[in-house]
Amino acid sequence: MAISASDMTPQALAALLSFYADSGVEELCEDAAIDRFEQSAAQSRAKSRPQAAAAPADSGQASGHPAASPQAERPRAAATAAPMTPAPQASQLTIPGEAAFEDARALAAGATTIAELRAALDGFTGCNLRHSAKTLVFADGNPQARVMFIGEAPGREEDIQGAPFVGRAGQLLDRMLGAIGLDRDTAYITNMIPWRPPGNRTPAPHEIELCRPFIERHVALAAPKIVVMLGNVASKSLLGTDKGILSLRGTWMDFQAGEVRIPALPTLHPAYLLRNPAQKRLVWADLLSLQARIEQLDAG
Ligand code: URA
């Protein structure tokens, strides 16, 4: 059900806006651009139209112009996808307490398959991000693949499609995979955080901690031979270091997934590369190192 301001009381609207502000939303805009010039031109046309022509018979036939239905004059954004999560209730919007962290740990630990983990995440209400996101963005690719890629969090396109790395950064990731002979059949792709943070802001530390048991369990259940962390958030939080990605990248480390240690390679995030294309040479070196490791697996 779409949230419409006109259906809400002023108090509910104020609570929702303050929720968005607390969640880090700094700008309010529609999913699709609205042509305000066209809107006001349409209003002026409507005002200057003789009363009779605007009456029920305003099908356009009398004037010889095509009908302008009420829908046609509505901004496009009003017709775009509705949020799938219900409007947040005030009680759901607090900073989570210890119970939410315990809940996350128990739910993640109780999942014995990837499908169960997905269902557990779907039922987890302790993270506020799920209330502003449209979808749960769980994973894409082959869960049996030997290489698992972990990004930061879904963006707008991922939130709409419910799959990770399907926007511009995802297209670049696909090219990066292709450069060393991988694709979504031979790689498994997920994110540290499965819900889009409002306005694509960086996830807050408590959101990362709430999602940590799920991603750690996800890696343990998928049991890849190699994990690649894309960008600062996944690398720093999963490898437990304060070092920035520019000093971490390209160095093989160990990631502890349950009982198992998995070789892990931090590298730059494709979204960063879109903004800093000159840094692609660094990622190319990391990809070659990854390819060499995969060849060792093939040989062994
Ligand atoms: N950036 C990410 O970290 N993950 C996505 O799924 C998309 C963009």
Side-chain angles (χ1 to χ4, degrees), residues 137 151-155 158 163-166 169 191 269 271:
V137 177
E152 178 175 321
E158 288 76 22
F165 285 101
V166 290
N191 280 307
H269 194 289

Side-chain angles (χ1 to χ4, degrees), residues 1 3 18 44 64 69 74 102 107 113 139 142 162 175 188 198 205 214 234 246 254 256 261 267 271:
M1 192 183 68
I3 303 173
S18 79
S44 320
S69 72
R74 273 165 58 198
E102 272 167 26
L107 281 168
T113 62
N142 181 354
R175 289 200 293 277
Y188 190 44
F214 294 102
L246 285 170
D254 278 338
Q256 189 73 34
R261 271 180 192 213
T267 192

Side-chain angles (χ1 to χ4, degrees), residues 153-244:
R156 175 175 177 267
E157 203 53 45
E158 288 76 22
D159 187 35
I160 292 170
Q161 296 191 35
F165 285 101
V166 290
R168 281 185 66 224
Q171 286 157 16
L172 178 53
L173 177 62
D174 284 337
R175 289 200 293 277
M176 287 161 57
L177 297 181
I180 54 164
L182 294 177
D183 58 22
R184 292 190 188 222
D185 287 331
T186 49
Y188 190 44
I189 301 171
T190 188
N191 280 307
M192 179 77 214
I193 307 277
W195 297 285
R196 181 194 182 193
N200 295 349
R201 67 165 167 75
T202 302
H206 72 273
E207 291 159 353
I208 292 173
E209 286 315 306
L210 278 168
C211 295
R212 176 193 296 284
F214 294 102
I215 183 64
E216 289 183 350
R217 188 78 183 132
H218 201 161
V219 178
L221 290 170
K225 297 282 182 259
I226 294 171
V227 175
V228 179
M229 283 115 183
L230 300 166
N232 236 338
V233 167
S235 304
K236 285 170 74 174
S237 44
L238 291 175
L239 295 170
T241 170
D242 281 340
K243 283 192 187 163

